[in-house]
Amino acid sequence: MPDIELKQKYLRVRYRAVRSSMMSLKTGLFLILCLTTAVLLCNGERVRYDNYRVYKVKATTLNGLKILRKMEETNNSLHYLDEVHKIEKPINIVVAPHKLTDFLSALNENEITYELLEENVQKAIDKDYEQVATGRAILNRWRKYQTLDSNYNWLVGLARSYPGVVTVIEGGKSYEKRSILGVKISYNNGSKQKPGIFLEAGIHAREWIAPATATYVINELLTSSDEEVKEIAQNYDWYVFPHANPDGYVYTHTTDRMWRKTRQPHGTCYGADPNRNWNVFWNTVGTSSEPCSNIYAGSAANSEIEVKSLSNYITALKDNIQLYISLHSFSQYLLYPYGHTNQLPDNVKDFEQVYNVTVKALNKRYETVYTGGNIYDAIYPAAGSSVDFAYTKLGIRMAFCFELRPNGSFNGNGMELPADQIQPTAAELLDGLVAMVGEVKSLGYFKNYFYL
């Protein structure tokens, strides 16, 4: 589709979404979930977290672990920033002021240790919103976090700036009728056929560093003078989607900075965890059947339109994709299958080899330490993820998840990461990608392709 037509199509989609929202407001059908953990007004004001505290907690017994899991399932006044998995593994929990006494009593009574990290979450959230770019003049897109519209307009503009190299692609729609936009980058360098690399980011709404890093990678693939970056740009077809969950991302900007899920209603609660909703060992472990939970798996596999449409798009490309990459945050992990079991993939030795080379490259520029391994053991059980779907259902034999900076979920600077760390985070990630692609190539996963 010509660039101007695609841009017009995107603008029409935005207009219809706005018009639909206005009509629903006029007819009184506008529904909004007034969270019990914060005051959310129906006039569009943002959720506030004044005097909410962040605690780092650690279960020291099996009973304590069960208590933490139960509180996550049943208490909407607690926001878990990590998932409960192991004894002695610290997790971060945001606690509403009115629940503080009960929360601390439960910890003390069940041998759960804790440490106060932040006394007022709202101050950190205010810092995050101050780091969002405003206005049209953006000299460096990676000095601040961008809105969805800003990133989408930039993607559309790339097709005009790089004709014949960049194609704007649509991976489907969201529940609120937004496009899931991405770009295909394909240089015409005489190759009859090229291996494909698929990269998605932003599936968890509040993880702002992931889309920012994805757009940085796109820019470097098009503009870098580094010979290694140029090699992976020109000899592979790249499919990059910075926003796999556009509704959730917009919601973190307009309404609730801590929002993680999609925005489809499920009873009186909203959204499902889109990285627990893929049709692969769905809802078997590391998920919840409680719609208000942050790890709610959805009413069925692919119940979230974002997951269904994007999985259909990837399935149509499966014979062209040899490497699948998912960007998340936080914790500085590099992960590979499986999430539903501690059983290791049959090509685990190759995964380990690629892992070792990649984490070494991630460390080279800024001495940033990444750890990881198979999802189940390295971080926590998590069935229904995009990485497992790519590996198990589509047969993409190399599939990885990067958990980007920081190495802890809450450092007093904001919910995720200060904007001045966008470029360092993205630059070291690109170093890792260069190493990863080279190692995957050396192992023969691209061997059927012409130029190799």
Side-chain angles (χ1 to χ4, degrees):
M1 180 181 292
D3 175 56
I4 188 66
E5 291 182 15
L6 199 142
K7 187 169 185 178
Q8 289 172 345
K9 176 183 176 182
Y10 169 57
L11 292 174
R12 287 196 298 270
V13 169
R14 288 179 57 199
Y15 168 75
R16 287 196 296 268
V18 172
R19 182 180 63 181
S20 175
S21 296
M22 291 179 66
M23 289 176 64
S24 62
L25 279 167
K26 290 178 180 179
T27 57
L29 297 178
F30 178 75
L31 299 177
I32 202 160
L33 177 62
C34 294
L35 299 176
T36 60
T37 57
V39 179
L40 175 58
L41 302 180
C42 294
N43 61 5
E45 292 185 6
R46 287 174 176 158
V47 173
R48 294 191 61 85
Y49 291 89
D50 296 292
N51 300 315
Y52 279 63
R53 294 186 177 190
V54 182
Y55 285 90
K56 179 182 287 186
V57 307
K58 183 169 62 176
T60 59
T61 66
L62 183 59
N63 180 66
L65 193 67
K66 291 178 180 178
I67 293 297
L68 288 177
R69 287 173 175 166
K70 183 177 181 181
M71 288 195 297
E72 181 183 25
E73 287 284 328
T74 59
N75 198 322
N76 291 332
S77 295
L78 304 176
H79 289 263
Y80 280 57
L81 301 182
D82 309 86
E83 294 180 35
V84 184
H85 177 30
K86 295 179 179 178
I87 296 173
E88 300 292 341
K89 179 178 174 61
I91 64 171
N92 297 288
I93 303 176
V94 180
V95 184
H98 68 279
K99 281 294 179 180
L100 182 59
T101 300
D102 291 344
F103 174 74
L104 294 180
S105 295
L107 301 188
N108 290 323
E109 291 170 5
N110 291 283
E111 299 180 78
I112 301 170
T113 63
Y114 59 90
E115 174 189 354
L116 177 64
L117 299 182
E118 174 62 50
E119 290 188 347
N120 189 351
V121 172
Q122 189 58 44
K123 289 183 179 180
I125 291 175
D126 289 341
K127 290 180 183 179
D128 276 0
Y129 284 131
E130 290 170 1
Q131 298 180 101
V132 176
T134 58
R136 294 185 178 182
I138 303 172
L139 297 177
N140 187 330
R141 298 188 60 83
W142 300 278
R143 289 179 181 172
K144 290 195 171 185
Y145 289 103
Q146 304 296 321
T147 65
L148 182 76
D149 281 351
S150 174
N151 277 340
Y152 275 9
N153 289 332
W154 180 73
L155 293 177
V156 171
L158 291 177
R160 180 171 59 251
S161 300
Y162 299 91
V165 176
V166 175
T167 305
V168 178
I169 52 182
E170 185 179 58
K173 299 290 186 183
S174 70
Y175 175 76
E176 294 176 348
K177 309 303 181 186
R178 293 182 175 90
S179 292
I180 302 174
L181 288 189
V183 292
K184 178 183 178 182
I185 300 174
S186 183
Y187 285 85
N188 181 13
N189 61 354
S191 299
K192 292 183 179 179
Q193 190 177 22
K194 297 181 186 179
I197 300 172
F198 193 99
L199 188 153
E200 46 93 348
I203 200 166
H204 286 147
R206 65 191 180 198
E207 297 169 6
W208 286 3
I209 186 59
T213 299
T215 58
Y216 181 93
V217 169
I218 291 170
N219 189 66
E220 290 298 301
L221 292 174
L222 296 171
T223 65
S224 179
S225 59
D226 182 278
E227 290 301 320
E228 290 184 313
V229 177
K230 288 168 68 175
E231 194 278 331
I232 67 170
Q234 295 175 5
N235 292 314
Y236 299 83
D237 285 342
W238 288 80
Y239 303 81
V240 185
F241 287 89
H243 293 285
N245 178 11
D247 294 350
Y249 186 75
V250 170
Y251 196 73
T252 64
H253 284 256
T254 62
T255 308
D256 187 350
R257 177 64 185 91
M258 293 179 63
W259 192 258
R260 168 184 165 101
K261 302 188 289 180
T262 60
R263 290 297 302 154
Q264 178 178 335
H266 292 277
T268 58
C269 297
Y270 278 64
D273 184 337
N275 208 41
R276 302 292 184 275
N277 190 240
W278 295 71
N279 188 20
V280 54
F281 301 102
W282 175 79
N283 204 25
T284 54
V285 66
T287 64
S288 173
S289 297
E290 168 53 55
C292 293
S293 170
N294 266 337
I295 54 172
Y296 175 51
S299 57
N302 289 342
S303 64
E304 307 311 286
I305 185 60
E306 297 85 356
V307 173
K308 182 177 181 179
S309 56
L310 194 56
S311 65
N312 287 341
Y313 184 89
I314 301 167
T315 299
L317 288 174
K318 67 176 183 177
D319 294 334
N320 300 329
I321 305 298
Q322 287 70 50
L323 174 59
Y324 188 96
I325 299 163
S326 180
L327 299 186
H328 288 249
S329 68
F330 48 87
S331 292
Q332 294 169 201
Y333 283 124
L334 177 58
L335 307 167
Y336 50 80
Y338 297 106
H340 72 282
T341 176
N342 61 2
Q343 177 183 342
L344 298 175
D346 60 65
N347 59 336
V348 65
K349 295 299 183 183
D350 290 346
F351 274 115
E352 291 173 345
Q353 187 168 327
V354 176
Y355 166 88
N356 289 332
V357 169
T358 305
V359 297
K360 184 177 180 179
L362 287 161
N363 179 258
K364 186 176 182 180
R365 188 180 294 252
Y366 301 111
E367 299 184 347
T368 305
V369 177
Y370 272 70
T371 58
N374 63 303
I375 298 168
Y376 189 100
D377 290 322
I379 186 167
Y380 42 65
S385 71
S386 63
V387 167
D388 275 3
F389 178 80
Y391 181 80
T392 304
K393 290 298 184 75
L394 302 187
I396 299 173
R397 299 284 287 164
M398 287 279 106
F400 291 90
C401 171
F402 287 87
E403 296 277 353
L404 303 172
R405 294 189 191 186
N407 61 6
S409 63
F410 202 95
N411 56 11
N413 293 312
M415 291 310 301
E416 293 299 334
L417 199 65
D420 62 9
Q421 292 190 43
I422 294 174
Q423 285 186 265
T425 301
E428 68 192 11
L429 183 277
L430 185 61
D431 293 340
L433 289 182
V434 168
M436 174 178 282
V437 172
E439 198 64 21
V440 171
K441 175 183 175 182
S442 73
L443 288 168
Y445 286 90
F446 302 133
K447 65 183 178 181
N448 294 327
Y449 285 80
F450 178 80
Y451 86 98
L452 299 169

